Every structure is written in structure tokens, then in C-alpha cells.
Coordinates of all heavy atoms in Angstrom, one line a residue:
L1 N 23.8 2.9 -17.5 CA 25.1 2.6 -17.0 C 24.9 1.8 -15.7 O 25.8 1.1 -15.3 CB 25.9 4.0 -16.6 CG 26.3 4.7 -17.8 CD1 27.0 6.0 -17.4 CD2 27.2 3.9 -18.8
A2 N 23.7 1.8 -15.1 CA 23.5 1.0 -13.9 C 22.9 -0.4 -14.4 O 22.0 -1.0 -13.8 CB 22.5 1.7 -13.0
F3 N 23.5 -0.9 -15.5 CA 23.1 -2.2 -16.1 C 21.6 -2.3 -16.4 O 21.0 -3.3 -16.4 CB 23.5 -3.4 -15.1 CG 25.0 -3.5 -14.9 CD1 25.6 -3.0 -13.8 CD2 25.8 -4.0 -15.9 CE1 26.9 -3.0 -13.5 CE2 27.2 -4.1 -15.7 CZ 27.7 -3.6 -14.5
S4 N 21.0 -1.1 -16.7 CA 19.6 -0.9 -17.1 C 18.6 -1.5 -16.1 O 17.5 -1.6 -16.4 CB 19.4 -1.8 -18.4 OG 20.2 -1.2 -19.4
I5 N 19.0 -1.7 -14.8 CA 18.1 -2.1 -13.8 C 17.0 -1.1 -13.5 O 15.8 -1.5 -13.4 CB 18.8 -2.5 -12.5 CG1 19.8 -3.7 -12.8 CG2 17.9 -2.8 -11.3 CD1 20.7 -4.1 -11.6
P6 N 17.3 0.2 -13.5 CA 16.2 1.2 -13.2 C 15.5 1.6 -14.4 O 14.7 2.4 -14.4 CB 17.0 2.4 -12.7 CG 18.5 2.0 -12.5 CD 18.7 0.8 -13.5
M7 N 15.8 1.0 -15.6 CA 15.2 1.4 -16.9 C 13.7 1.3 -16.9 O 13.0 2.2 -17.5 CB 15.8 0.5 -18.0 CG 15.5 1.2 -19.4 SD 16.4 2.8 -19.7 CE 18.1 2.2 -19.8
A8 N 13.1 0.3 -16.3 CA 11.7 0.2 -16.3 C 11.0 1.4 -15.5 O 9.9 1.9 -15.9 CB 11.2 -1.1 -15.7
W9 N 11.7 1.9 -14.5 CA 11.1 3.0 -13.7 C 11.4 4.2 -14.5 O 10.4 5.1 -14.5 CB 11.9 3.0 -12.3 CG 11.3 2.0 -11.4 CD1 10.4 2.3 -10.4 CD2 11.6 0.7 -11.3 NE1 10.1 1.2 -9.7 CE2 10.9 0.2 -10.3 CE3 12.5 -0.2 -12.0 CZ2 10.9 -1.2 -9.9 CZ3 12.5 -1.5 -11.7 CH2 11.8 -2.0 -10.6
W10 N 12.4 4.3 -15.3 CA 12.6 5.5 -16.3 C 11.5 5.5 -17.2 O 10.9 6.5 -17.6 CB 13.9 5.4 -17.0 CG 14.2 6.5 -17.9 CD1 14.7 7.7 -17.6 CD2 13.8 6.6 -19.3 NE1 14.8 8.5 -18.7 CE2 14.2 7.8 -19.8 CE3 13.2 5.7 -20.1 CZ2 14.0 8.2 -21.1 CZ3 12.9 6.0 -21.4 CH2 13.4 7.3 -21.9
E11 N 11.2 4.3 -17.8 CA 10.1 4.2 -18.8 C 8.7 4.6 -18.2 O 8.0 5.3 -18.9 CB 10.0 2.7 -19.3 CG 11.1 2.2 -20.2 CD 10.9 2.7 -21.6 OE1 9.9 3.4 -21.9 OE2 11.9 2.4 -22.4
R12 N 8.4 4.2 -17.0 CA 7.2 4.6 -16.4 C 7.1 6.1 -16.3 O 6.1 6.7 -16.6 CB 7.0 3.9 -15.0 CG 5.6 4.0 -14.4 CD 5.5 5.2 -13.4 NE 6.5 5.1 -12.5 CZ 6.4 4.4 -11.3 NH1 5.3 3.7 -11.0 NH2 7.4 4.5 -10.3
S13 N 8.2 6.7 -15.7 CA 8.1 8.1 -15.5 C 8.1 8.9 -16.8 O 7.4 9.9 -16.9 CB 9.4 8.6 -14.7 OG 9.4 7.9 -13.4
F14 N 9.0 8.5 -17.8 CA 9.0 9.2 -19.1 C 7.6 9.1 -19.7 O 7.2 10.1 -20.4 CB 10.1 8.6 -19.9 CG 10.1 9.1 -21.3 CD1 10.7 10.4 -21.5 CD2 9.6 8.4 -22.4 CE1 10.7 10.9 -22.8 CE2 9.7 9.0 -23.7 CZ 10.2 10.2 -23.9
R15 N 7.0 8.0 -19.7 CA 5.7 7.8 -20.5 C 4.6 8.5 -19.7 O 3.6 9.0 -20.4 CB 5.4 6.3 -20.7 CG 6.4 5.8 -21.7 CD 6.3 4.3 -21.9 NE 7.3 3.8 -22.8 CZ 7.3 3.8 -24.1 NH1 6.2 4.2 -24.8 NH2 8.3 3.4 -24.8
R16 N 4.6 8.7 -18.5 CA 3.7 9.5 -17.7 C 3.8 11.0 -18.2 O 2.9 11.7 -18.5 CB 3.9 9.5 -16.2 CG 3.3 8.3 -15.6 CD 3.5 8.3 -14.1 NE 2.8 7.3 -13.3 CZ 2.9 7.1 -12.0 NH1 3.6 7.9 -11.3 NH2 2.2 6.1 -11.5
W17 N 5.1 11.4 -18.3 CA 5.3 12.8 -18.8 C 4.9 12.9 -20.3 O 4.3 13.9 -20.6 CB 6.9 13.1 -18.7 CG 7.3 14.3 -19.3 CD1 7.2 15.6 -18.9 CD2 7.9 14.4 -20.7 NE1 7.7 16.5 -19.8 CE2 8.1 15.8 -20.9 CE3 8.3 13.5 -21.6 CZ2 8.7 16.2 -22.0 CZ3 8.7 13.9 -22.8 CH2 9.0 15.3 -23.0
L18 N 5.2 11.9 -21.1 CA 4.8 12.0 -22.4 C 3.3 12.1 -22.6 O 2.8 12.8 -23.5 CB 5.4 10.8 -23.2 CG 5.1 10.6 -24.7 CD1 5.7 11.8 -25.5 CD2 5.6 9.3 -25.2
A19 N 2.5 11.2 -21.8 CA 1.1 11.3 -21.9 C 0.6 12.7 -21.6 O -0.4 13.2 -22.2 CB 0.6 10.2 -20.9
R20 N 1.2 13.3 -20.6 CA 0.7 14.7 -20.2 C 1.1 15.7 -21.3 O 0.4 16.7 -21.4 CB 1.4 15.1 -18.9 CG 0.9 14.4 -17.7 CD 1.3 15.2 -16.4 NE 2.7 15.6 -16.3 CZ 3.6 14.8 -15.8 NH1 3.3 13.6 -15.3 NH2 4.9 15.3 -15.8
K21 N 2.1 15.5 -22.0 CA 2.6 16.4 -23.0 C 1.8 16.3 -24.4 O 2.1 17.1 -25.3 CB 4.1 16.4 -23.2 CG 4.9 16.8 -22.0 CD 4.6 18.3 -21.6 CE 5.5 18.7 -20.4 NZ 5.3 20.1 -20.1
V22 N 1.1 15.2 -24.5 CA 0.3 15.0 -25.8 C -1.1 15.7 -25.5 O -1.8 15.1 -24.7 CB 0.2 13.6 -26.2 CG1 -0.7 13.4 -27.4 CG2 1.6 13.0 -26.5
N23 N -1.4 16.8 -26.1 CA -2.5 17.6 -25.7 C -3.6 17.5 -26.8 O -3.5 18.1 -27.8 CB -2.1 19.0 -25.5 CG -1.0 19.2 -24.6 OD1 0.1 19.8 -24.8 ND2 -1.0 18.6 -23.4
P24 N -4.7 16.8 -26.5 CA -5.9 16.8 -27.5 C -6.5 18.3 -27.5 O -6.5 18.9 -26.5 CB -6.9 15.8 -26.9 CG -6.0 14.9 -25.9 CD -5.0 15.8 -25.4
D25 N -7.0 18.6 -28.6 CA -7.6 20.0 -28.8 C -9.0 20.1 -28.2 O -9.5 21.3 -28.2 CB -7.5 20.5 -30.2 CG -8.5 19.8 -31.1 OD1 -9.1 18.7 -30.7 OD2 -8.8 20.2 -32.3
D26 N -9.6 19.0 -27.6 CA -10.9 19.2 -27.1 C -10.8 19.3 -25.5 O -11.8 19.4 -24.8 CB -11.8 17.9 -27.4 CG -11.2 16.7 -26.8 OD1 -10.0 16.7 -26.3 OD2 -11.9 15.6 -26.7
G27 N -9.6 19.5 -25.0 CA -9.4 19.7 -23.6 C -9.2 18.6 -22.7 O -9.0 18.6 -21.5
S28 N -9.4 17.4 -23.3 CA -9.2 16.1 -22.5 C -7.7 15.9 -22.3 O -6.9 16.5 -22.9 CB -9.9 14.9 -23.2 OG -9.4 14.7 -24.5
V29 N -7.4 14.8 -21.6 CA -6.0 14.5 -21.3 C -5.7 13.0 -21.4 O -6.6 12.2 -21.3 CB -5.6 15.0 -19.9 CG1 -5.7 16.5 -19.7 CG2 -6.5 14.3 -18.8
F30 N -4.5 12.7 -21.7 CA -4.0 11.4 -21.6 C -3.3 11.1 -20.3 O -2.7 12.0 -19.7 CB -3.0 11.0 -22.7 CG -3.5 10.8 -24.1 CD1 -3.6 11.8 -25.1 CD2 -4.1 9.6 -24.4 CE1 -4.1 11.6 -26.4 CE2 -4.6 9.3 -25.7 CZ -4.6 10.3 -26.6
T31 N -3.4 9.9 -19.8 CA -2.7 9.6 -18.6 C -2.1 8.1 -18.8 O -2.5 7.4 -19.7 CB -3.6 9.5 -17.3 OG1 -4.7 8.6 -17.6 CG2 -4.2 10.8 -17.0
F32 N -1.2 7.8 -18.0 CA -0.5 6.5 -18.1 C -0.3 5.9 -16.6 O 0.2 6.6 -15.8 CB 0.8 6.6 -18.8 CG 1.6 5.3 -18.8 CD1 1.1 4.2 -19.5 CD2 2.7 5.1 -18.1 CE1 1.8 3.0 -19.6 CE2 3.4 3.9 -18.1 CZ 3.0 2.9 -18.8
D33 N -0.7 4.7 -16.4 CA -0.6 4.1 -15.1 C 0.0 2.8 -15.0 O -0.2 1.9 -14.2 CB -2.0 4.0 -14.4 CG -3.0 3.1 -15.2 OD1 -2.5 2.6 -16.2 OD2 -4.1 3.0 -14.7
G34 N 0.9 2.5 -16.0 CA 1.6 1.2 -16.0 C 2.6 1.0 -14.9 O 3.2 2.0 -14.4
S35 N 2.8 -0.2 -14.5 CA 3.7 -0.5 -13.3 C 5.0 -1.0 -13.9 O 5.0 -2.0 -14.7 CB 3.1 -1.6 -12.4 OG 4.0 -2.1 -11.5
P36 N 6.2 -0.5 -13.4 CA 7.4 -1.0 -13.9 C 7.7 -2.5 -13.5 O 8.5 -3.1 -14.1 CB 8.5 0.0 -13.3 CG 7.7 0.6 -12.1 CD 6.3 0.6 -12.5
K37 N 7.0 -2.9 -12.4 CA 7.3 -4.3 -12.0 C 6.9 -5.3 -13.1 O 7.4 -6.4 -13.0 CB 6.5 -4.5 -10.7 CG 7.0 -3.7 -9.6 CD 6.2 -4.0 -8.3 CE 6.6 -3.1 -7.2 NZ 5.8 -3.3 -5.9
E38 N 6.1 -4.9 -14.0 CA 5.6 -5.9 -15.1 C 6.7 -6.1 -16.1 O 6.6 -7.1 -16.8 CB 4.4 -5.3 -15.7 CG 3.2 -5.1 -14.8 CD 2.0 -4.5 -15.4 OE1 1.8 -4.7 -16.7 OE2 1.1 -3.9 -14.8
I39 N 7.7 -5.2 -16.3 CA 8.6 -5.3 -17.3 C 10.1 -5.2 -16.9 O 11.0 -5.4 -17.8 CB 8.3 -4.2 -18.5 CG1 8.5 -2.8 -17.8 CG2 6.9 -4.4 -19.0 CD1 8.4 -1.7 -18.9
W40 N 10.4 -4.9 -15.7 CA 11.8 -4.5 -15.3 C 12.8 -5.6 -15.7 O 14.0 -5.2 -16.0 CB 11.9 -4.1 -13.9 CG 11.8 -5.3 -13.0 CD1 10.7 -5.9 -12.4 CD2 12.9 -6.1 -12.5 NE1 11.0 -7.0 -11.7 CE2 12.4 -7.2 -11.7 CE3 14.3 -6.0 -12.7 CZ2 13.2 -8.1 -11.1 CZ3 15.1 -7.0 -12.1 CH2 14.6 -8.0 -11.3
Y41 N 12.4 -6.8 -15.6 CA 13.4 -7.9 -15.7 C 13.9 -8.1 -17.2 O 14.9 -8.9 -17.4 CB 12.8 -9.2 -15.2 CG 11.4 -9.5 -15.7 CD1 11.1 -10.1 -16.9 CD2 10.3 -9.1 -14.8 CE1 9.8 -10.3 -17.3 CE2 9.0 -9.3 -15.2 CZ 8.7 -9.9 -16.4 OH 7.5 -10.1 -16.9
W42 N 13.2 -7.5 -18.1 CA 13.7 -7.6 -19.5 C 14.9 -6.7 -19.8 O 15.7 -6.9 -20.8 CB 12.6 -7.2 -20.5 CG 11.5 -8.3 -20.5 CD1 10.2 -8.2 -20.1 CD2 11.7 -9.6 -21.1 NE1 9.6 -9.4 -20.3 CE2 10.4 -10.3 -21.0 CE3 12.7 -10.3 -21.8 CZ2 10.2 -11.6 -21.4 CZ3 12.5 -11.6 -22.3 CH2 11.3 -12.2 -22.0
F43 N 15.1 -5.6 -19.0 CA 16.1 -4.6 -19.4 C 17.5 -5.0 -19.0 O 18.4 -4.7 -19.8 CB 15.7 -3.3 -18.7 CG 14.5 -2.6 -19.4 CD1 13.2 -2.7 -18.9 CD2 14.7 -1.9 -20.6 CE1 12.2 -2.2 -19.5 CE2 13.6 -1.4 -21.3 CZ 12.3 -1.5 -20.7
P44 N 17.8 -5.5 -17.8 CA 19.2 -5.9 -17.5 C 19.9 -6.8 -18.5 O 21.0 -6.5 -18.9 CB 19.0 -6.6 -16.1 CG 17.8 -6.0 -15.5 CD 16.9 -5.8 -16.6
P45 N 19.3 -7.9 -19.0 CA 20.0 -8.7 -20.1 C 20.3 -7.9 -21.3 O 21.4 -8.0 -21.9 CB 19.0 -9.8 -20.4 CG 18.1 -9.9 -19.2 CD 18.0 -8.5 -18.6

């Protein structure tokens, strides 16, 4: 509703959460460190 301007920051936070919630059975972990500044300008249009 905010013209999708914050959408890239939502994507970054959601995908960090998603990486943490995907649990390999060997005890290792996924992480995500992407920067929203790389993609934010695609969402408002």
C-alpha cells in the first residue's frame, strides 16, 4: 500500500527469516545477507 517502496526491505527480512526456518538435518544452518539497496527500485513501478 506504500507504493511498494519498502518491499525490498520486506524481502530482505522475510528471506532472512525463511533461511533460518529451513533446517538441515545435519545441524547446519542457512543464512541470507542480501542488501535491499540492490533491488528496491524495481518494486515501485
Side-chain angles (χ1 to χ4, degrees):
L1 294 177
F3 298 101
S4 297
I5 294 174
M7 194 65 75
W9 281 262
W10 180 90
E11 287 280 357
R12 191 266 306 273
S13 299
F14 176 74
R15 290 175 188 274
R16 279 184 175 177
W17 170 82
L18 179 61
R20 291 199 308 270
K21 294 298 181 178
V22 177
N23 309 128
D25 71 345
D26 65 347
S28 59
V29 295
F30 281 101
T31 58
F32 175 70
D33 61 1
S35 170
K37 295 179 181 179
E38 299 177 26
I39 61 169
W40 74 269
Y41 45 83
W42 287 110
F43 289 97

